[in-house]
Structure formats: structure tokens, C-alpha cells
Amino acid sequence: MGRSPCCEKAHTNKGAWTKEEDQRLIDYIRLHGEGCWRSLPKAAGLLRCGKSCRLRWINYLRPDLKRGNFSEAEDELIIKLHSLLGNKWSLIAARLPGRTDNEIKNYWNTHIKRKLISRGIDPQTHGPLNQPTNTNKSTELDFRNVPKASKSNFAPNPSRDFNFNEFQVKAKAESIEEGTSSSSGMTTDEEQQQQQEQDKYAGNSQELDLELSIGISSSGKNNNSTGVSTANSAESKPLLDKSNFQFLGQAMAAKAVCLCCQLGFGTSEICRNCQSTNGFNTYC
DNA sequence: AAAGGGATCAACCGCATTACT
DNA sequence: GAGTAATGCGGTTGATCCCTT
């Protein structure tokens, strides 16, 4: 059965908001607060659908919004967050106070993409340009492509978290190593320049403490305890729901090796933190 | 001054997920 | 558990601005 429309389209305004509409929305939210967007337009006397009101408030009218140009630091932060999170604009926006997901998305598409391309960096993969997009390595876990995050259940488990930054830095280092293999057809000078940009970029990644972490459940008791989270956010949301976790599990199972070793902190299939009993390995 | 084209950004659309009954 | 409503998110569109010719 199809879903009913979110609003009575025949009786709603569309397009740009007028000052009067803005004021009505602001006044109403000041009095009653956010929430129940579906009933808000009627209550506020607006001929708009709830979605439209919500978007207008979040992206434009909210008092805590920071208007104006993005700073260089914000640029770099967005790039780094995007390399970690992909097009999860809402998650990225959560780490940039005063900026909205829509704003960041637009800014990415209009400015940062070009900036990265001029640096010789692929905006989607954050690897060198002209590199085959297929990163089909069994040991590589690409969280940028996991399905949309779920809001349910998957609380981080600090005791078993690993540092996502270290993971990312290693991934960067690997991609740079590949970039040096001179398969791109660039001249040596171009390669050197690109390499310098990438080195700078990878170096910055190390400086940035995003406190992004991934937690792996150590017991079957609570299978909701696994997730990637943005740990320093008051409203941090886990990135992995059940299906994502399945993806993660598959990726790890693709090569039976412990997490430390997957991340390059160990040299064999099992590290000192793993347990081996009766021929079965329990990976850390 | 006008036309054309690219850049920008607010707003919309459709889908996914969650909450509720 | 199934169906429906509400909300949130990411991709896309379209109006407007600005620069170049």
C-alpha cells in the first residue's frame, strides 16, 4: 500500500519563504518549541507542509546558526570528516556547531570537491585521482559506504573501542603507497606535488582527534553493543545498525584475522590480546 | 547594456527508519 | 507481527546571483 502524502499539497505554499511566514514560524517555535512538525503548520497558521517548516527552521531560522563563509579550519575538518564518514552530512554537521547538513552538503559540492580535485585527490574516495575506484581488498573496511545509520540500540562499548583515527591514518598511508607506484601516467613533478599534498593531508589526519571509535561486542549477551560512534557528541548516533554490523562482520570474516592485525598493529592472524583455545581463535 | 553561462544555495522529493497502534 | 504515521536524511532541482563576453 502506498504511503499517504505528508501534507495536503493542494493547499500548501511552495517555493521561497516570505518574511511573514518566517516570522510566524519563529514566533510559534519560540512559544511552543520544536516538535510535531505535522501539526505545526496548521497551529502556526502556515500554508506549508510540516517537512517544509522543519527544513526552514533547521536550515535557516534556528538562532544558533552560524552564517557566513566557512573558515579554512572548517574546510579541513569537513574534508577529514567526509573521509571518515562519507556523505553522512548530518553526522558531519553534528561536529560543526552552527552549520547545517544542507549547508555543508552544498559547500562540499560547490567548493570542496573542486579544492580536492585541484590537490589531486578524489573527493569520493579521498585517494589519489586517476586511481581505479575498486578498492576490493579483503582487509579494508570502508565505513563511508555502509548503509544509513540506525538510531537504535547500538551503544558504543568504550572498553573495546579502537581508535578510528589510527585506522584512517593507516588507510591513508596505504592509499599513498599505492599512489607512488607511478601508474597514473603523471610526470614525476606532478607526482611529487601530489605526493606532498597527500603527505600534508595524511599528517593533518593524525593531528585531528575526532574521537571516532568503533566498538566490538565481546559477548553474545548484548548483541546491540557494537557500533561506531562519534564519542564526543552529546547526541552521538551509532553508525552501525544490525545490517551494517553484518557488513562489518562479513568484511572481517573475509580474512580471519584479529582486529589489531587487520589494522596493522600485529603481524600474524592473532595478537597477544586474542585467545586461542582448542584450536579455535577468539579474536580481539 | 544585454545575453549567456556557470556558481551558489534554498527548497523540494523520495526513501529509509523509527514510533506508534 | 503488520500496518500506518511521523520524522530525518541524502540527492536533486530550480531560482537567483554574478561574472564574462
mmCIF file of all heavy atoms in Angstrom, chain A residues 75-89 92 104 108-109 112-113 116 122-126 142-144 168 172 201 210, chain C residues 11:
data_model
loop_
_atom_site.group_PDB
_atom_site.id
_atom_site.type_symbol
_atom_site.label_atom_id
_atom_site.label_comp_id
_atom_site.label_asym_id
_atom_site.label_seq_id
_atom_site.Cartn_x
_atom_site.Cartn_y
_atom_site.Cartn_z
ATOM 1 N N ASP A 75 36.902 23.980 6.597
ATOM 2 C CA ASP A 75 37.137 23.245 5.350
ATOM 3 C C ASP A 75 37.859 21.934 5.627
ATOM 4 O O ASP A 75 37.430 20.862 5.200
ATOM 5 C CB ASP A 75 38.034 24.066 4.406
ATOM 6 C CG ASP A 75 37.241 25.065 3.579
ATOM 7 O OD1 ASP A 75 36.109 25.366 3.981
ATOM 8 O OD2 ASP A 75 37.766 25.535 2.566
ATOM 9 N N GLU A 76 38.961 22.067 6.339
ATOM 10 C CA GLU A 76 39.792 20.885 6.592
ATOM 11 C C GLU A 76 39.048 19.862 7.436
ATOM 12 O O GLU A 76 39.151 18.658 7.215
ATOM 13 C CB GLU A 76 41.109 21.297 7.275
ATOM 14 C CG GLU A 76 42.026 22.114 6.387
ATOM 15 C CD GLU A 76 42.363 21.401 5.059
ATOM 16 O OE1 GLU A 76 42.621 20.194 5.079
ATOM 17 O OE2 GLU A 76 42.352 22.076 4.019
ATOM 18 N N LEU A 77 38.293 20.383 8.388
ATOM 19 C CA LEU A 77 37.532 19.470 9.247
ATOM 20 C C LEU A 77 36.488 18.711 8.431
ATOM 21 O O LEU A 77 36.305 17.504 8.591
ATOM 22 C CB LEU A 77 36.865 20.269 10.378
ATOM 23 C CG LEU A 77 36.080 19.455 11.403
ATOM 24 C CD1 LEU A 77 36.949 18.368 12.021
ATOM 25 C CD2 LEU A 77 35.533 20.352 12.502
ATOM 26 N N ILE A 78 35.826 19.417 7.546
ATOM 27 C CA ILE A 78 34.816 18.779 6.704
ATOM 28 C C ILE A 78 35.465 17.696 5.841
ATOM 29 O O ILE A 78 34.944 16.588 5.716
ATOM 30 C CB ILE A 78 34.096 19.819 5.826
ATOM 31 C CG1 ILE A 78 33.221 20.726 6.688
ATOM 32 C CG2 ILE A 78 33.242 19.138 4.776
ATOM 33 C CD1 ILE A 78 32.708 21.960 5.970
ATOM 34 N N ILE A 79 36.610 18.024 5.279
ATOM 35 C CA ILE A 79 37.298 17.052 4.425
ATOM 36 C C ILE A 79 37.651 15.797 5.226
ATOM 37 O O ILE A 79 37.421 14.672 4.796
ATOM 38 C CB ILE A 79 38.575 17.676 3.808
ATOM 39 C CG1 ILE A 79 38.183 18.757 2.800
ATOM 40 C CG2 ILE A 79 39.436 16.621 3.136
ATOM 41 C CD1 ILE A 79 39.334 19.653 2.366
ATOM 42 N N LYS A 80 38.157 16.021 6.413
ATOM 43 C CA LYS A 80 38.556 14.873 7.232
ATOM 44 C C LYS A 80 37.338 14.057 7.656
ATOM 45 O O LYS A 80 37.345 12.826 7.623
ATOM 46 C CB LYS A 80 39.334 15.346 8.455
ATOM 47 C CG LYS A 80 40.767 15.666 8.111
ATOM 48 C CD LYS A 80 41.372 16.605 9.120
ATOM 49 C CE LYS A 80 42.604 17.282 8.557
ATOM 50 N NZ LYS A 80 42.898 18.523 9.263
ATOM 51 N N LEU A 81 36.310 14.768 8.049
ATOM 52 C CA LEU A 81 35.095 14.054 8.461
ATOM 53 C C LEU A 81 34.497 13.295 7.285
ATOM 54 O O LEU A 81 34.026 12.177 7.432
ATOM 55 C CB LEU A 81 34.078 15.040 9.042
ATOM 56 C CG LEU A 81 34.425 15.585 10.422
ATOM 57 C CD1 LEU A 81 33.561 16.779 10.764
ATOM 58 C CD2 LEU A 81 34.258 14.507 11.479
ATOM 59 N N HIS A 82 34.540 13.898 6.130
ATOM 60 C CA HIS A 82 33.996 13.217 4.956
ATOM 61 C C HIS A 82 34.817 11.985 4.619
ATOM 62 O O HIS A 82 34.271 10.965 4.188
ATOM 63 C CB HIS A 82 33.944 14.167 3.762
ATOM 64 C CG HIS A 82 33.233 13.583 2.566
ATOM 65 N ND1 HIS A 82 33.878 12.826 1.612
ATOM 66 C CD2 HIS A 82 31.927 13.623 2.191
ATOM 67 C CE1 HIS A 82 33.001 12.439 0.690
ATOM 68 N NE2 HIS A 82 31.812 12.900 1.013
ATOM 69 N N SER A 83 36.115 12.067 4.818
ATOM 70 C CA SER A 83 36.945 10.893 4.532
ATOM 71 C C SER A 83 36.609 9.750 5.473
ATOM 72 O O SER A 83 36.775 8.583 5.141
ATOM 73 C CB SER A 83 38.422 11.249 4.616
ATOM 74 O OG SER A 83 38.820 11.384 5.956
ATOM 75 N N LEU A 84 36.131 10.107 6.651
ATOM 76 C CA LEU A 84 35.764 9.084 7.633
ATOM 77 C C LEU A 84 34.318 8.622 7.466
ATOM 78 O O LEU A 84 34.011 7.451 7.604
ATOM 79 C CB LEU A 84 35.922 9.637 9.054
ATOM 80 C CG LEU A 84 37.348 9.906 9.520
ATOM 81 C CD1 LEU A 84 37.322 10.734 10.787
ATOM 82 C CD2 LEU A 84 38.080 8.608 9.752
ATOM 83 N N LEU A 85 33.450 9.556 7.167
ATOM 84 C CA LEU A 85 32.016 9.266 7.242
ATOM 85 C C LEU A 85 31.320 9.211 5.892
ATOM 86 O O LEU A 85 30.187 8.752 5.802
ATOM 87 C CB LEU A 85 31.327 10.336 8.109
ATOM 88 C CG LEU A 85 31.841 10.477 9.533
ATOM 89 C CD1 LEU A 85 31.336 11.768 10.153
ATOM 90 C CD2 LEU A 85 31.425 9.297 10.382
ATOM 91 N N GLY A 86 31.980 9.685 4.849
ATOM 92 C CA GLY A 86 31.314 9.744 3.559
ATOM 93 C C GLY A 86 30.221 10.810 3.559
ATOM 94 O O GLY A 86 30.299 11.774 4.303
ATOM 95 N N ASN A 87 29.208 10.588 2.750
ATOM 96 C CA ASN A 87 28.161 11.607 2.595
ATOM 97 C C ASN A 87 27.156 11.602 3.748
ATOM 98 O O ASN A 87 25.965 11.777 3.521
ATOM 99 C CB ASN A 87 27.408 11.399 1.279
ATOM 100 C CG ASN A 87 28.271 11.613 0.079
ATOM 101 O OD1 ASN A 87 29.450 11.949 0.183
ATOM 102 N ND2 ASN A 87 27.712 11.417 -1.077
ATOM 103 N N LYS A 88 27.611 11.396 4.936
ATOM 104 C CA LYS A 88 26.721 11.438 6.101
ATOM 105 C C LYS A 88 26.695 12.881 6.599
ATOM 106 O O LYS A 88 27.318 13.219 7.619
ATOM 107 C CB LYS A 88 27.213 10.484 7.198
ATOM 108 C CG LYS A 88 27.363 9.056 6.746
ATOM 109 C CD LYS A 88 26.010 8.423 6.478
ATOM 110 C CE LYS A 88 26.172 7.017 5.911
ATOM 111 N NZ LYS A 88 24.959 6.535 5.265
ATOM 112 N N TRP A 89 25.998 13.690 5.852
ATOM 113 C CA TRP A 89 26.061 15.131 6.104
ATOM 114 C C TRP A 89 25.569 15.508 7.491
ATOM 115 O O TRP A 89 26.068 16.436 8.112
ATOM 116 C CB TRP A 89 25.279 15.880 5.027
ATOM 117 C CG TRP A 89 25.731 15.541 3.662
ATOM 118 C CD1 TRP A 89 25.009 14.903 2.684
ATOM 119 C CD2 TRP A 89 27.031 15.752 3.088
ATOM 120 N NE1 TRP A 89 25.775 14.722 1.550
ATOM 121 C CE2 TRP A 89 27.008 15.235 1.765
ATOM 122 C CE3 TRP A 89 28.209 16.322 3.559
ATOM 123 C CZ2 TRP A 89 28.123 15.281 0.922
ATOM 124 C CZ3 TRP A 89 29.311 16.371 2.722
ATOM 125 C CH2 TRP A 89 29.257 15.861 1.426
ATOM 126 N N ILE A 92 28.334 14.859 9.886
ATOM 127 C CA ILE A 92 29.379 15.865 9.734
ATOM 128 C C ILE A 92 28.922 17.179 10.355
ATOM 129 O O ILE A 92 29.660 17.830 11.096
ATOM 130 C CB ILE A 92 29.738 16.042 8.243
ATOM 131 C CG1 ILE A 92 30.376 14.761 7.699
ATOM 132 C CG2 ILE A 92 30.665 17.219 8.037
ATOM 133 C CD1 ILE A 92 30.581 14.735 6.188
ATOM 134 N N ILE A 104 26.492 22.260 4.577
ATOM 135 C CA ILE A 104 27.745 21.543 4.362
ATOM 136 C C ILE A 104 27.704 20.768 3.053
ATOM 137 O O ILE A 104 28.666 20.746 2.279
ATOM 138 C CB ILE A 104 28.045 20.608 5.549
ATOM 139 C CG1 ILE A 104 28.336 21.452 6.783
ATOM 140 C CG2 ILE A 104 29.194 19.686 5.250
ATOM 141 C CD1 ILE A 104 28.375 20.669 8.066
ATOM 142 N N TRP A 108 30.218 21.429 0.142
ATOM 143 C CA TRP A 108 31.040 20.334 -0.364
ATOM 144 C C TRP A 108 30.950 20.284 -1.893
ATOM 145 O O TRP A 108 31.955 20.211 -2.593
ATOM 146 C CB TRP A 108 30.576 19.012 0.244
ATOM 147 C CG TRP A 108 31.315 17.841 -0.314
ATOM 148 C CD1 TRP A 108 30.964 17.074 -1.398
ATOM 149 C CD2 TRP A 108 32.557 17.298 0.151
ATOM 150 N NE1 TRP A 108 31.894 16.098 -1.623
ATOM 151 C CE2 TRP A 108 32.876 16.215 -0.697
ATOM 152 C CE3 TRP A 108 33.416 17.626 1.198
ATOM 153 C CZ2 TRP A 108 34.028 15.451 -0.509
ATOM 154 C CZ3 TRP A 108 34.565 16.861 1.374
ATOM 155 C CH2 TRP A 108 34.859 15.795 0.522
ATOM 156 N N ASN A 109 29.729 20.303 -2.385
ATOM 157 C CA ASN A 109 29.539 20.132 -3.820
ATOM 158 C C ASN A 109 30.060 21.327 -4.628
ATOM 159 O O ASN A 109 30.448 21.165 -5.779
ATOM 160 C CB ASN A 109 28.055 19.913 -4.134
ATOM 161 C CG ASN A 109 27.598 18.538 -3.711
ATOM 162 O OD1 ASN A 109 28.349 17.566 -3.798
ATOM 163 N ND2 ASN A 109 26.377 18.424 -3.218
ATOM 164 N N ILE A 112 34.461 22.333 -1.979
ATOM 165 C CA ILE A 112 35.486 21.397 -1.506
ATOM 166 C C ILE A 112 35.836 20.354 -2.558
ATOM 167 O O ILE A 112 36.992 19.985 -2.707
ATOM 168 C CB ILE A 112 35.042 20.742 -0.186
ATOM 169 C CG1 ILE A 112 34.857 21.840 0.851
ATOM 170 C CG2 ILE A 112 36.070 19.753 0.287
ATOM 171 C CD1 ILE A 112 34.487 21.356 2.213
ATOM 172 N N LYS A 113 34.833 19.924 -3.301
ATOM 173 C CA LYS A 113 35.108 18.949 -4.358
ATOM 174 C C LYS A 113 36.198 19.478 -5.280
ATOM 175 O O LYS A 113 37.163 18.784 -5.592
ATOM 176 C CB LYS A 113 33.833 18.697 -5.166
ATOM 177 C CG LYS A 113 33.085 17.446 -4.788
ATOM 178 C CD LYS A 113 31.961 17.242 -5.759
ATOM 179 C CE LYS A 113 31.178 15.985 -5.442
ATOM 180 N NZ LYS A 113 30.019 15.841 -6.341
ATOM 181 N N LEU A 116 39.634 19.626 -3.641
ATOM 182 C CA LEU A 116 40.307 18.332 -3.562
ATOM 183 C C LEU A 116 40.831 17.905 -4.926
ATOM 184 O O LEU A 116 41.944 17.385 -5.038
ATOM 185 C CB LEU A 116 39.351 17.279 -2.996
ATOM 186 C CG LEU A 116 39.033 17.395 -1.510
ATOM 187 C CD1 LEU A 116 38.094 16.285 -1.078
ATOM 188 C CD2 LEU A 116 40.293 17.359 -0.678
ATOM 189 N N ASP A 122 40.825 12.447 -5.064
ATOM 190 C CA ASP A 122 39.468 12.100 -5.467
ATOM 191 C C ASP A 122 38.507 12.431 -4.334
ATOM 192 O O ASP A 122 38.654 11.915 -3.230
ATOM 193 C CB ASP A 122 39.404 10.604 -5.792
ATOM 194 C CG ASP A 122 38.049 10.192 -6.356
ATOM 195 O OD1 ASP A 122 37.025 10.701 -5.867
ATOM 196 O OD2 ASP A 122 38.020 9.361 -7.279
ATOM 197 N N PRO A 123 37.498 13.292 -4.575
ATOM 198 C CA PRO A 123 36.603 13.711 -3.492
ATOM 199 C C PRO A 123 35.761 12.578 -2.920
ATOM 200 O O PRO A 123 35.311 12.649 -1.781
ATOM 201 C CB PRO A 123 35.690 14.747 -4.146
ATOM 202 C CG PRO A 123 36.219 15.006 -5.490
ATOM 203 C CD PRO A 123 37.155 13.906 -5.852
ATOM 204 N N GLN A 124 35.544 11.553 -3.691
ATOM 205 C CA GLN A 124 34.723 10.453 -3.188
ATOM 206 C C GLN A 124 35.545 9.442 -2.395
ATOM 207 O O GLN A 124 35.156 9.020 -1.311
ATOM 208 C CB GLN A 124 34.002 9.747 -4.345
ATOM 209 C CG GLN A 124 32.714 10.436 -4.767
ATOM 210 C CD GLN A 124 31.807 10.769 -3.582
ATOM 211 O OE1 GLN A 124 31.459 9.896 -2.775
ATOM 212 N NE2 GLN A 124 31.408 12.031 -3.462
ATOM 213 N N THR A 125 36.677 9.074 -2.957
ATOM 214 C CA THR A 125 37.478 8.027 -2.302
ATOM 215 C C THR A 125 38.542 8.597 -1.380
ATOM 216 O O THR A 125 39.101 7.896 -0.556
ATOM 217 C CB THR A 125 38.185 7.159 -3.360
ATOM 218 O OG1 THR A 125 39.115 7.991 -4.068
ATOM 219 C CG2 THR A 125 37.180 6.570 -4.334
ATOM 220 N N HIS A 126 38.854 9.882 -1.564
ATOM 221 C CA HIS A 126 39.925 10.556 -0.821
ATOM 222 C C HIS A 126 41.286 9.925 -1.117
ATOM 223 O O HIS A 126 42.241 10.114 -0.374
ATOM 224 C CB HIS A 126 39.645 10.581 0.689
ATOM 225 C CG HIS A 126 38.479 11.443 1.030
ATOM 226 N ND1 HIS A 126 38.601 12.739 1.461
ATOM 227 C CD2 HIS A 126 37.145 11.199 0.941
ATOM 228 C CE1 HIS A 126 37.381 13.242 1.652
ATOM 229 N NE2 HIS A 126 36.492 12.327 1.345
ATOM 230 N N ASP A 142 35.548 -0.153 4.651
ATOM 231 C CA ASP A 142 35.219 1.198 4.221
ATOM 232 C C ASP A 142 33.884 1.617 4.807
ATOM 233 O O ASP A 142 32.827 1.308 4.306
ATOM 234 C CB ASP A 142 35.168 1.247 2.695
ATOM 235 C CG ASP A 142 35.028 2.667 2.207
ATOM 236 O OD1 ASP A 142 34.841 3.559 3.064
ATOM 237 O OD2 ASP A 142 35.104 2.874 0.997
ATOM 238 N N PHE A 143 33.929 2.377 5.898
ATOM 239 C CA PHE A 143 32.708 2.795 6.578
ATOM 240 C C PHE A 143 31.982 3.890 5.827
ATOM 241 O O PHE A 143 30.881 4.231 6.153
ATOM 242 C CB PHE A 143 33.028 3.252 7.997
ATOM 243 C CG PHE A 143 33.503 2.128 8.837
ATOM 244 C CD1 PHE A 143 34.851 1.923 9.031
ATOM 245 C CD2 PHE A 143 32.611 1.244 9.364
ATOM 246 C CE1 PHE A 143 35.283 0.862 9.786
ATOM 247 C CE2 PHE A 143 33.045 0.180 10.134
ATOM 248 C CZ PHE A 143 34.391 -0.012 10.341
ATOM 249 N N ARG A 144 32.647 4.451 4.818
ATOM 250 C CA ARG A 144 31.982 5.514 4.069
ATOM 251 C C ARG A 144 30.821 4.969 3.271
ATOM 252 O O ARG A 144 29.934 5.689 2.888
ATOM 253 C CB ARG A 144 32.979 6.209 3.146
ATOM 254 C CG ARG A 144 33.929 7.088 3.890
ATOM 255 C CD ARG A 144 34.973 7.663 2.989
ATOM 256 N NE ARG A 144 35.986 6.656 2.696
ATOM 257 C CZ ARG A 144 36.341 6.341 1.476
ATOM 258 N NH1 ARG A 144 35.781 6.894 0.446
ATOM 259 N NH2 ARG A 144 37.259 5.446 1.291
ATOM 260 N N GLN A 168 42.155 5.218 10.150
ATOM 261 C CA GLN A 168 42.075 6.089 8.997
ATOM 262 C C GLN A 168 43.461 6.467 8.481
ATOM 263 O O GLN A 168 43.714 6.480 7.296
ATOM 264 C CB GLN A 168 41.289 7.338 9.365
ATOM 265 C CG GLN A 168 41.105 8.302 8.224
ATOM 266 C CD GLN A 168 40.288 7.691 7.100
ATOM 267 O OE1 GLN A 168 39.582 6.707 7.314
ATOM 268 N NE2 GLN A 168 40.403 8.252 5.927
ATOM 269 N N LYS A 172 44.995 5.878 4.828
ATOM 270 C CA LYS A 172 45.582 6.950 4.028
ATOM 271 C C LYS A 172 46.984 6.559 3.587
ATOM 272 O O LYS A 172 47.347 6.702 2.435
ATOM 273 C CB LYS A 172 45.660 8.232 4.848
ATOM 274 C CG LYS A 172 44.345 8.920 5.014
ATOM 275 C CD LYS A 172 44.145 9.933 3.894
ATOM 276 C CE LYS A 172 42.851 10.685 4.096
ATOM 277 N NZ LYS A 172 41.726 9.939 3.605
ATOM 278 N N TYR A 201 48.170 16.121 3.907
ATOM 279 C CA TYR A 201 46.808 15.722 4.244
ATOM 280 C C TYR A 201 46.810 14.607 5.288
ATOM 281 O O TYR A 201 46.130 14.657 6.297
ATOM 282 C CB TYR A 201 46.143 15.266 2.961
ATOM 283 C CG TYR A 201 44.678 15.000 3.064
ATOM 284 C CD1 TYR A 201 43.834 15.993 3.533
ATOM 285 C CD2 TYR A 201 44.153 13.788 2.663
ATOM 286 C CE1 TYR A 201 42.486 15.761 3.599
ATOM 287 C CE2 TYR A 201 42.807 13.561 2.723
ATOM 288 C CZ TYR A 201 41.970 14.547 3.194
ATOM 289 O OH TYR A 201 40.648 14.322 3.257
ATOM 290 N N LEU A 210 39.300 13.224 16.465
ATOM 291 C CA LEU A 210 37.841 13.229 16.299
ATOM 292 C C LEU A 210 37.153 12.334 17.306
ATOM 293 O O LEU A 210 35.941 12.356 17.458
ATOM 294 C CB LEU A 210 37.485 12.757 14.890
ATOM 295 C CG LEU A 210 38.006 13.672 13.799
ATOM 296 C CD1 LEU A 210 37.791 13.032 12.447
ATOM 297 C CD2 LEU A 210 37.309 15.002 13.865
ATOM 298 P P DG C 11 23.984 11.634 -1.002
ATOM 299 O OP1 DG C 11 24.840 10.545 -1.484
ATOM 300 O OP2 DG C 11 24.562 12.919 -0.569
ATOM 301 O "O5'" DG C 11 22.899 11.951 -2.133
ATOM 302 C "C5'" DG C 11 22.030 10.901 -2.546
ATOM 303 C "C4'" DG C 11 21.064 11.416 -3.595
ATOM 304 O "O4'" DG C 11 20.114 12.311 -2.958
ATOM 305 C "C3'" DG C 11 21.709 12.204 -4.737
ATOM 306 O "O3'" DG C 11 21.104 11.812 -5.961
ATOM 307 C "C2'" DG C 11 21.433 13.663 -4.373
ATOM 308 C "C1'" DG C 11 20.099 13.563 -3.636
ATOM 309 N N9 DG C 11 19.887 14.584 -2.617
ATOM 310 C C8 DG C 11 20.755 14.935 -1.608
ATOM 311 N N7 DG C 11 20.299 15.882 -0.840
ATOM 312 C C5 DG C 11 19.048 16.179 -1.368
ATOM 313 C C6 DG C 11 18.083 17.126 -0.967
ATOM 314 O O6 DG C 11 18.140 17.926 -0.015
ATOM 315 N N1 DG C 11 16.964 17.095 -1.774
ATOM 316 C C2 DG C 11 16.786 16.256 -2.843
ATOM 317 N N2 DG C 11 15.637 16.379 -3.514
ATOM 318 N N3 DG C 11 17.681 15.369 -3.235
ATOM 319 C C4 DG C 11 18.784 15.384 -2.459
#
